[in-house]
Amino acid sequence: MELSKILQVIDAMNREGVEYVTFGAIALAAHGIVRATADADFFIAPTQENVAKLKRALRQVWDDPFIEEINADELLGDYPAVRYCPPDDDLTLDFLTRLGEMYRYEDLKAENAEIEGVQLRVVTARTLYEMKRDTVRSKDRIDADMLRQKFNFGES
């Protein structure tokens, strides 16, 4: 994944006023833990208007007619996730309004951060730790352990 392209997307989302919070490897990087990743993960506010802003932001980065297939009804429905893979880029962007019943955009604890001069909203280190510590994916558990060590998190 090319970080500069992700930062370009985040900058476009900021300009369009997209309500988002990033999590996953980008949030790890914002908290000082860098690891390789194949995608970028974002929670977005679950409104029709916010999805329209997201689509405008993506069009600032890519001239891709498939952006129009991002459907607000899908993101606001029973399976609230959309994966966008832009043309001619080795990149995957995941947009969610909630993750199962555990995490919803409006419930996430987030803060402002900066990566390479680009401002972004990220889940707090504690929230990211809680999201990753009990999953079945081994890389999430490794991430959680790195967060625990860096921030001295207990098992609460």
Side-chain angles (χ1 to χ4, degrees), residues 15-150:
R15 284 192 306 273
E16 287 297 330
V18 177
E19 294 178 64
Y20 73 91
V21 176
T22 189
F23 66 107
I26 301 302
L28 280 171
H31 291 300
I33 300 172
V34 179
R35 74 153 167 83
T37 186
D39 65 357
D41 304 303
F42 300 91
F43 276 95
I44 64 168
T47 67
Q48 296 272 346
E49 178 184 355
N50 200 48
V51 175
K53 290 177 182 179
L54 171 64
K55 291 164 67 170
R56 285 195 303 270
L58 293 174
R59 284 193 299 269
Q60 288 181 29
V61 180
W62 294 283
D63 181 21
D64 179 14
F66 290 107
I67 291 170
E68 290 310 308
E69 292 184 11
I70 296 174
N71 185 321
D73 292 333
E74 185 175 345
L75 274 165
L76 306 177
D78 291 335
Y79 188 72
V82 169
R83 174 165 279 180
Y84 174 65
C85 301
D88 304 324
D89 269 312
D90 185 25
L91 183 62
T92 301
L93 303 169
D94 292 323
F95 298 100
L96 301 84
T97 56
R98 66 180 161 79
L99 185 58
E101 300 303 318
M102 290 290 297
Y103 299 101
R104 299 178 318 153
Y105 169 82
E106 51 272 12
D107 297 330
L108 294 171
K109 291 183 177 117
E111 60 193 15
N112 294 323
E114 182 179 312
I115 298 177
E116 297 184 10
V118 176
Q119 298 296 314
L120 64 154
R121 291 287 292 164
V122 299
V123 293
T124 64
R126 168 65 76 177
T127 299
L128 189 57
Y129 169 71
E130 290 170 357
M131 292 174 81
K132 289 179 164 286
R133 72 176 176 197
D134 293 325
T135 69
V136 296
R137 295 184 338 160
S138 60
K139 73 178 174 179
D140 285 340
R141 290 178 180 261
I142 292 167
D143 292 346
D145 191 51
M146 287 190 293
L147 287 161
R148 183 187 55 75
Q149 288 177 34
K150 179 172 177 118

